[in-house]
Amino acid sequence: MAEADQVTLQSLFEGSRLNIPRYQRSYAWGTTEVDDLLGDIEYIIDRKKSVADDDNIIHYFGTIVLNDAGGVDSPVSDDWTLFDIVDGQQRITTVSLLVSVLNEELQDLDDYIDVDTSVQDPPSELGSNYRNIFVKYKTRDNGRRLTPDELTEEAYRRLAVDSQSPEIIDDTDILPERKLADAKEAIQDWLNQKKRSIADTDSFEQADEEDLYNYFEYIDEVISVVCSSFKVTKYKVEDAAEAGRLFEVVNDRGKDLNIADRIKSHLLYCAGEVEDIDAEHVAREFNDAVETVTQHGGDEDVIEQFVKDHWAMFTGEATRRRPQNEINELHRRIKKIDRYAPIDRDPDDLKDWIDEYVQSLQDSSQAFVEAYYPDLIDERYTIDKKLLNKIYCIDNSGAATNFRPLLMAALLHFDVDSSEFSDIIRQCETFAFRGYQINGLRTNSLRRSLKEKAHELYISIEDTEDIRELFGEMTLDNVPSDPEEASDKIFHWFADEIQKKCSEEVFVESLNRPDVISGSQTHGWTGFHNRSTVRYLLYEYEHYLRERRGDTGTLNLVDFGTLNEDYEIEHIAPQNPNSEDDALENHEENKHRLGNLALLGPDDNKSIGNESYEEKYNQIYNYDEGSDLAILRELPEPSEAWSMDNVNQRTLDIVEFCRRRWSGGKVAKIYAEDEVKNENKGDIAEAVRGHFENTEPGYISAVFFVQDESPIAQETEDFISQNTCNNCTGVRLEISESGEFWCTCDHDVDHPNYQVIVDK
């Protein structure tokens, strides 16, 4: 069992030799991380100046995990203990390098100032004392405090132990060595900038002694912060096996002080400054949230994604619309923006914000892992299989991260069997399928807006006054009264975005193109993003066919995850036919048409894929003896060879299914007395869309023609609006073979009569 203590950095180094084991990554901090460390030091120095009892100013520096490797010889009378660093090597290495640079500066400064040695160590002695603790004890061979990994060892020796210039490392050296040299240069630049701000020059020779003394005092303050104000939680593990297990859990993949560590560090610092903030509660809630994510295999990248997704949902911030966006890093926004958790915020407001934030993190962590790992939803809830498949579609869309903040909010506020949850999932899946997978939208499309909608749903349970008190201002212009209202607004927003970003016209055009798999035969079309998309479409069509036939096998159809692994795409006319008689007209162009594609189950005979249609029908497609898939059983008997007429008709059937299955939620119905020719539907649908957009807010995402001679119900539960005949107030049309239309009362109409409904 790991032993934990909270200690200063000085006590961590004293009496220790620290070794970075081979399983650790090499030094990987960039100048951003180094600058953050230096910024934290400046922050603490500023705080010390503004607080009377500065001994209580501490800064949480994260967790350091050490494997006790036993005693070693030491250059002092007491033996040192050898520790392998399991977690924290980036911070430890950078601190050691920082003290080395401070020592270099103090050694040079010794020749330019005089100090009262009765009350203060001279610069050179001060630098040597702390170099003994953090870098190397005097000149003893066994005095090294830190042994980096193999790739960084030589650069560390030259830069930190031997105090050589960063210029000794050049572009020909390996990346970890260059990273370490960049870190040292960043520290030197920081000190030179501070020197110029104090002495108006970065040259000791040109500075006044009084200014140099003030600079010396500043370095002394920096050392004090490093030694005493930085606190770490030191975990000691008992053996290498335990170290390895713990390393797998907490290793930060080279981003030692990650975004979660930084946020927690600041929140605990606030707890130390404000008496009423319960530090133990803050740490427990924060750690519980992170632990929930890691329990299901989440690494540091997933934890970072969780923190960012939660932030978007919690605050409503989207990258391009957030205030004061010159402060980009999330942990710095929390620390510096007035509406969040700056240390100078009113203590009561600061306490309320921190309590709300960490509680929300914990509450949301379970919803996040369920959104991130959809299998967990299936394990934990009784959920309709078709709805679960929609969630899998979202997850496989290539843009899953866009939807997760909204899915997280939906899982927090609704039961998975609620209509509101179903509506949100359906619209997310429709946009994912029509937009990202079929129409080929860039994955950043709608990302910012989806974050805003997540916040709109999340915040809908809060009173407006509570929102204002928590953030100091309203985060939305119009906060929904409850989650149900928010869900309805999101549904209609999606319906508009589906038509704007992935219109029905482009959706249908894409599905009708000759090559939906590779796209090699059509200009400007790259096909479906992957074959998984084709399988998903055909899987949904299989569901539709079974339901249309009243087939009880619908309930027994495997889930899409299983189908995606075990089922194959079948080309009804073979891709590589054995005979020209089995080929389609313009075969290479048409073999990947949607109407020529089906599914083969794991028990279907895949060895005859290039045989004739008759042979495949008799062995696989036959209803009585062949496959149990309706998508195969619906194929016609082989009295004639499978032809382009069959492919074209089947393409039309599947496209019409897709139009209805992924309609987008806000649809117009045109009630025609007789069947309308396909070539006329596009112009009439465009006229309906144009009329609706000019008279109503929003867009129609799909237009359907309904042949119906019965009276039309004027306002049903799903009714939104309608355009009726001025003469008879009816909605039914007569449409000629040429596409001209008029009301069934024989009255001319300028725009087609139609009804708009919510299709859920």
Side-chain angles (χ1 to χ4, degrees):
M1 183 67 69
E3 174 186 340
D5 294 298
Q6 192 168 54
V7 300
T8 64
L9 277 179
Q10 179 172 337
S11 65
L12 178 71
F13 275 83
E14 284 179 327
S16 302
R17 177 174 293 137
L18 302 169
N19 175 65
I20 298 174
R22 294 184 63 183
Y23 58 73
Q24 276 276 27
R25 281 190 64 184
S26 300
Y27 189 79
W29 263 19
T31 54
T32 299
E33 289 84 1
V34 176
D35 288 343
D36 279 343
L37 170 62
L38 302 176
D40 287 338
I41 292 172
E42 290 186 335
Y43 181 74
I44 297 171
I45 290 173
D46 290 342
R47 288 294 301 154
K48 282 175 171 279
K49 292 177 180 177
S50 63
V51 176
D53 186 9
D54 64 5
D55 289 339
N56 291 325
I57 301 295
I58 64 169
H59 186 78
Y60 184 62
F61 199 53
T63 297
I64 304 294
V65 182
L66 305 173
N67 174 30
D68 188 343
V72 294
D73 290 336
S74 66
V76 294
S77 57
D78 296 329
D79 282 347
W80 290 356
T81 301
L82 176 64
F83 292 106
D84 285 338
I85 303 175
V86 178
D87 180 56
Q89 69 109 332
Q90 310 288 344
R91 283 166 284 162
I92 293 298
T93 304
T94 308
V95 165
S96 180
L97 183 64
L98 169 61
V99 174
S100 175
V101 175
L102 293 174
N103 172 62
E104 291 177 34
E105 200 76 345
L106 290 169
Q107 298 302 323
D108 291 341
L109 190 59
D110 200 56
D111 294 333
Y112 295 93
I113 64 172
D114 293 318
V115 299
D116 184 355
T117 57
S118 65
V119 296
Q120 191 174 28
D121 290 334
S124 60
E125 188 173 339
L126 179 69
S128 296
N129 288 340
Y130 286 103
R131 182 183 184 277
N132 290 339
I133 297 172
F134 288 89
V135 183
K136 183 179 181 180
Y137 187 85
K138 299 184 178 180
T139 59
R140 309 289 176 81
D141 291 339
N142 60 347
R144 285 277 297 272
R145 293 291 187 173
L146 176 67
T147 304
D149 68 288
E150 184 177 354
L151 296 181
T152 315
E153 159 62 21
E154 179 62 15
Y156 174 81
R157 180 190 63 76
R158 298 169 74 185
L159 295 169
V161 179
D162 295 342
S163 300
Q164 296 183 32
S165 168
E167 295 177 357
I168 64 168
I169 307 296
D170 59 32
D171 292 341
T172 63
D173 292 296
I174 59 176
L175 182 60
E177 294 179 320
R178 284 183 278 138
K179 288 276 191 180
L180 199 65
D182 289 343
K184 180 167 185 176
E185 187 173 5
I187 295 169
Q188 290 176 329
D189 289 344
W190 172 67
L191 287 173
N192 285 334
Q193 183 179 3
K194 180 56 63 175
K195 197 186 308 177
R196 287 192 294 271
S197 70
I198 294 174
D200 204 28
T201 177
D202 58 10
S203 169
F204 287 153
E205 291 86 352
Q206 299 174 8
D208 294 335
E209 183 174 355
E210 182 179 353
D211 290 335
L212 290 180
Y213 185 83
N214 291 333
Y215 177 58
F216 167 61
E217 289 285 320
Y218 181 80
I219 293 178
D220 194 15
E221 288 178 325
V222 172
I223 291 175
S224 175
V225 168
V226 171
C227 292
S228 304
S229 296
F230 276 164
K231 295 290 183 68
V232 298
T233 300
K234 181 178 74 172
Y235 281 93
K236 288 200 303 183
V237 294
E238 296 178 352
D239 53 45
E242 185 179 4
R245 290 192 298 270
L246 195 54
F247 174 79
E248 290 298 321
V249 175
V250 302
N251 177 42
D252 52 21
R253 300 181 183 273
K255 297 178 291 182
D256 199 85
L257 203 56
N258 56 46
I259 188 171
D261 286 334
R262 294 180 188 278
I263 293 171
K264 184 172 70 171
S265 172
H266 175 66
L267 299 182
L268 291 177
Y269 175 73
C270 292
E273 294 289 293
V274 177
E275 183 177 352
D276 290 339
I277 299 177
D278 186 342
E280 183 178 341
H281 170 76
V282 170
R284 184 174 62 249
E285 298 285 288
F286 202 103
N287 290 341
D288 285 350
V290 172
E291 184 178 350
T292 297
V293 177
T294 59
Q295 280 175 343
H296 302 283
D299 57 16
E300 291 299 323
D301 291 335
V302 178
I303 292 171
E304 181 170 329
Q305 189 65 54
F306 162 57
V307 172
K308 290 181 177 179
D309 285 351
H310 171 267
W311 182 255
M313 180 189 74
F314 181 68
T315 66
E317 279 195 355
T319 303
R320 296 181 187 174
R321 290 188 180 178
R322 65 191 186 193
Q324 301 184 30
N325 59 13
E326 71 277 5
I327 305 174
N328 293 315
E329 298 90 347
L330 176 53
H331 66 280
R332 289 195 176 279
R333 297 188 63 74
I334 291 176
K335 184 189 297 187
K336 301 220 179 252
I337 303 299
D338 292 343
R339 65 196 292 197
Y340 304 134
I343 192 63
D344 56 357
R345 189 174 181 180
D346 176 82
D348 290 338
D349 292 341
L350 180 60
K351 175 185 183 302
D352 290 343
W353 192 92
I354 291 176
D355 286 346
E356 186 74 21
Y357 175 69
V358 295
Q359 183 65 57
S360 178
L361 267 179
Q362 187 188 49
D363 293 343
S364 304
S365 59
Q366 192 64 56
F368 172 81
V369 296
E370 290 167 358
Y372 201 91
Y373 306 107
D375 286 346
L376 293 176
I377 297 177
D378 190 30
E379 292 176 11
R380 293 173 175 174
Y381 306 107
T382 302
I383 185 171
D384 178 73
K385 182 182 292 186
K386 292 173 67 175
L387 185 63
L388 181 64
N389 287 328
K390 290 181 175 67
I391 298 174
Y392 282 127
C393 175
I394 297 166
D395 193 56
N396 292 326
S397 67
T401 187
N402 295 354
F403 298 100
R404 286 191 186 118
L406 180 56
L407 296 187
M408 185 162 52
L411 285 161
L412 279 171
H413 288 342
F414 301 120
D415 294 332
V416 296
D417 59 355
S418 67
S419 61
E420 292 83 7
F421 184 78
S422 177
D423 288 346
I424 289 175
I425 295 301
R426 172 188 170 168
Q427 294 296 71
C428 288
E429 184 250 13
T430 298
F431 192 92
F433 188 76
R434 273 175 62 157
Y436 298 124
Q437 295 183 292
I438 304 299
N439 291 11
L441 289 178
R442 295 169 65 95
T443 54
N444 63 358
S445 179
L446 220 64
R447 180 178 298 164
R448 185 188 68 226
S449 297
L450 282 166
K451 291 178 180 179
E452 293 169 348
K453 293 302 170 184
H455 177 67
E456 184 176 332
L457 175 57
Y458 176 78
I459 209 73
S460 63
I461 62 171
E462 301 291 345
D463 181 84
T464 56
E465 190 58 37
D466 291 338
I467 298 172
R468 188 174 284 107
E469 288 181 2
L470 182 64
F471 293 108
E473 60 186 2
M474 293 302 296
T475 58
L476 293 174
D477 293 334
N478 297 297
V479 179
S481 60
D482 53 46
E484 289 71 22
E485 180 188 341
S487 173
D488 188 62
K489 289 176 64 177
I490 290 169
F491 183 94
H492 288 282
W493 170 79
F494 257 124
D496 292 342
E497 292 298 325
I498 287 166
Q499 175 58 22
K500 287 192 294 184
K501 297 286 197 308
C502 44
S503 70
E504 185 182 34
E505 294 89 340
V506 176
F507 182 50
V508 170
E509 179 190 355
S510 299
L511 295 171
N512 271 303
R513 291 189 180 190
D515 190 344
V516 297
I517 293 183
S518 66
S520 59
Q521 303 298 321
T522 50
H523 177 70
W525 166 245
T526 58
F528 290 173
H529 279 194
N530 52 59
R531 287 180 176 247
S532 176
T533 303
V534 183
R535 280 191 285 268
Y536 182 69
L537 187 158
L538 296 173
Y539 174 75
E540 291 295 295
Y541 189 54
E542 172 73 16
H543 264 293
Y544 162 74
L545 293 175
R546 292 189 183 203
E547 290 175 347
R548 189 178 67 176
R549 289 183 1 191
D551 191 338
T552 57
T554 297
L555 300 176
N556 300 321
L557 186 61
V558 298
D559 62 76
F560 176 66
T562 301
L563 180 136
N564 197 32
E565 292 181 1
D566 298 341
Y567 287 60
E568 295 183 3
I569 296 172
E570 160 75 347
H571 286 73
I572 300 169
Q575 293 190 75
N576 303 297
N578 293 327
S579 165
E580 289 187 7
D581 294 337
D582 301 323
L584 295 170
E585 181 182 345
N586 298 322
H587 185 76
E588 286 303 311
E589 178 181 344
N590 290 308
K591 66 183 180 180
H592 293 318
R593 285 283 298 275
L594 188 56
N596 192 50
L597 304 179
L599 291 170
L600 282 184
D603 298 327
D604 296 328
N605 186 356
K606 301 178 179 64
S607 64
I608 60 170
N610 292 325
E611 299 295 334
S612 68
Y613 178 73
E614 181 177 6
E615 182 70 20
K616 292 201 288 185
Y617 182 89
N618 290 332
Q619 291 199 40
I620 305 174
Y621 308 160
N622 186 281
Y623 183 85
D624 296 322
E625 301 176 5
S627 175
D628 62 354
L629 289 170
I631 203 169
L632 298 177
R633 291 180 172 186
E634 70 149 2
L635 297 174
E637 294 184 5
S639 54
E640 297 181 8
W642 180 255
S643 68
M644 277 304 303
D645 288 340
N646 300 116
V647 172
N648 289 334
Q649 183 57 53
R650 190 165 177 272
T651 298
L652 288 174
D653 293 342
I654 296 176
V655 169
E656 185 61 20
F657 156 74
C658 290
R659 289 182 65 237
R660 294 181 180 276
R661 167 63 180 78
W662 291 282
S663 67
K666 188 185 291 183
V667 306
K669 289 191 174 183
I670 300 172
Y671 298 94
E673 188 152 286
D674 299 305
E675 186 174 356
V676 183
K677 287 188 174 181
N678 286 328
E679 57 263 32
N680 296 328
K681 289 180 177 179
D683 290 339
I684 298 173
E686 185 177 351
V688 168
R689 284 199 175 92
H691 181 266
F692 182 82
E693 291 169 18
N694 288 330
T695 57
E696 301 282 348
Y699 300 83
I700 292 170
S701 52
V703 177
F704 296 115
F705 290 81
V706 181
Q707 188 177 350
D708 192 347
E709 298 180 358
S710 63
I712 304 302
Q714 295 300 300
E715 294 191 17
T716 57
E717 184 179 350
D718 54 7
F719 175 84
I720 296 177
S721 66
Q722 62 185 0
N723 180 57
T724 61
C725 173
N726 292 331
N727 182 52
C728 70
T729 68
V731 294
R732 288 170 55 230
L733 289 174
E734 287 190 29
I735 302 175
S736 69
E737 288 193 358
S738 63
E740 296 177 336
F741 52 83
W742 58 89
C743 181
T744 52
C745 73
D746 290 334
H747 184 73
D748 289 338
V749 290
D750 295 332
H751 302 283
N753 300 330
Y754 61 89
Q755 279 190 328
V756 179
I757 65 169
V758 177
D759 181 24
K760 293 187 177 182

